[in-house]
Amino acid sequence: MSQQTQINQKCFDFQTLRLDKRTLSRFSTGHVIDLVSNDVQRMEEAPPWFCALITSIPTTVIATILLLYLIGWQALMGVIFLCFLEPYYAFMSSVSAVLRLRTAAESDQRISLMTEVVSGIRAIKTHGWEDEYREKIENTRR
């Protein structure tokens, strides 16, 4: 596993803010801009979720009271069942995040290899390294 992939795996949220200047100097400008844009996108998505979380608790309490009043204790059982499902969904979300992180690491490796091939295509053709790079690309795509 390359050092860049290891650094990407260590930096889950707000990746750029956690990196020091020496680490950032190892990356290309395009990669740093990609990290910053990902961080900004996450920060743009956070406020609506936070507002929805804050308003969902009183809404759930009011809806439970109304269901209890209108339907009876059977509705309370349904609400309790839904409350038990929340930890399951939280766990499955974290598992999904881990899998997405692994997928992103593999994609980064493939993209960096293809960038290397495209930028050095003249040297590859001159030295006759087509077969070696073809094997590398095939192994990476598996």
Side-chain angles (χ1 to χ4, degrees):
M1 187 179 299
S2 70
Q3 186 176 8
Q4 182 178 359
T5 306
Q6 290 174 350
I7 291 171
N8 286 341
Q9 287 179 346
K10 291 178 184 175
C11 302
F12 292 102
D13 296 328
F14 304 111
Q15 299 167 352
T16 309
L17 297 177
R18 292 182 180 178
L19 299 176
D20 60 353
K21 288 183 182 180
R22 191 173 349 146
T23 307
L24 282 176
S25 66
R26 291 188 214 156
F27 296 114
S28 66
T29 306
H31 189 72
V32 172
I33 289 173
D34 186 39
L35 289 175
V36 171
S37 66
N38 287 339
D39 292 345
V40 169
Q41 183 180 6
R42 287 188 188 131
M43 291 174 73
E44 287 175 349
E45 293 173 359
W49 285 105
F50 184 70
C51 292
L53 178 66
I54 289 177
T55 58
S56 67
I57 295 171
T59 305
T60 304
V61 171
I62 291 170
T64 304
I65 291 170
L66 283 174
L67 286 172
L68 187 59
Y69 176 73
L70 294 174
I71 298 175
W73 65 271
Q74 295 89 352
L76 189 62
M77 292 297 128
V79 171
I80 290 172
F81 177 72
L82 289 176
C83 289
F84 280 129
L85 283 179
E86 284 184 29
Y88 169 74
Y89 286 128
F91 173 73
M92 291 308 289
S93 175
S94 66
V95 169
S96 174
V98 168
L99 292 176
R100 272 186 277 127
L101 183 64
R102 287 182 187 170
T103 304
E106 292 293 325
S107 296
D108 285 347
Q109 183 181 10
R110 284 196 315 254
I111 289 171
S112 67
L113 177 63
M114 292 308 295
T115 303
E116 179 183 341
V117 168
V118 169
S119 65
I121 195 74
R122 185 173 289 161
I124 291 171
K125 291 280 189 184
T126 304
H127 296 293
W129 295 334
E130 294 96 343
D131 294 334
E132 295 172 25
Y133 273 92
R134 185 179 303 122
E135 289 175 11
K136 267 188 179 181
I137 292 170
E138 288 174 357
N139 288 336
T140 304
R141 287 184 176 172
R142 288 185 195 156

